[in-house]
Amino acid sequence: MEIVNQPTENKKIIAGIMGILFGVFGIHKFILGYTKEGIILLLVSLITCGTAGSIIGLIEGIVYLTKTDEEFYRIYQVGKRPWF
C-alpha cells in the first residue's frame, strides 16, 4: 500500500466552483495566483460582453473539478499551467 502525501493547500474545489459561477470575472485565476491570466480573462469578458469569459470559466471550472486532487495540485498549483 502506497501512502500519498496530500497537498496542504489544494484549491481545486474553490477554484472549480468559482470558475463555474464567476468565471466571467476570472476569480478562479486569482485564487490560483494567476494574476496576469485573471486580468486577461476579465478584459476578454469586457470586450465580448461576458460571453467568451463565461464560457472559458465554465470549461475551466469543469476541468478543475474532474481532475483528481493530486493531478490538480501537480498541474495547476505546482506546475503553474495557466489555461485549461
Side-chain angles (χ1 to χ4, degrees), residues 62-79:
I62 292 169
V63 168
Y64 292 169
L65 293 174
T66 57
K67 300 273 183 206
T68 66
D69 289 346
E70 292 80 20
E71 274 183 315
F72 178 85
Y73 184 76
R74 181 177 38 82
I75 294 171
Y76 298 106
Q77 289 184 251
V78 174

Side-chain angles (χ1 to χ4, degrees), residues 1-33:
M1 183 166 94
E2 181 180 328
I3 297 175
V4 177
N5 287 335
Q6 287 291 342
T8 56
E9 189 181 353
N10 193 332
K11 300 176 181 179
K12 173 185 156 183
I13 302 295
I14 190 71
I17 292 172
M18 289 296 124
I20 292 170
L21 296 178
F22 303 109
V24 68
F25 302 114
I27 292 175
H28 60 293
K29 296 291 188 187
F30 293 109
I31 289 171
L32 293 173

Side-chain angles (χ1 to χ4, degrees), residues 26-83:
I27 292 175
H28 60 293
K29 296 291 188 187
F30 293 109
I31 289 171
L32 293 173
Y34 302 139
T35 305
K36 179 177 73 174
E37 291 80 3
I39 292 170
I40 290 169
L41 188 56
L42 187 56
L43 290 174
V44 166
S45 294
L46 289 172
I47 292 169
T48 64
C49 296
T51 306
S54 61
I55 292 170
I56 291 170
L58 177 67
I59 292 169
E60 285 188 327
I62 292 169
V63 168
Y64 292 169
L65 293 174
T66 57
K67 300 273 183 206
T68 66
D69 289 346
E70 292 80 20
E71 274 183 315
F72 178 85
Y73 184 76
R74 181 177 38 82
I75 294 171
Y76 298 106
Q77 289 184 251
V78 174
K80 294 292 185 185
R81 181 173 161 192
W83 299 101

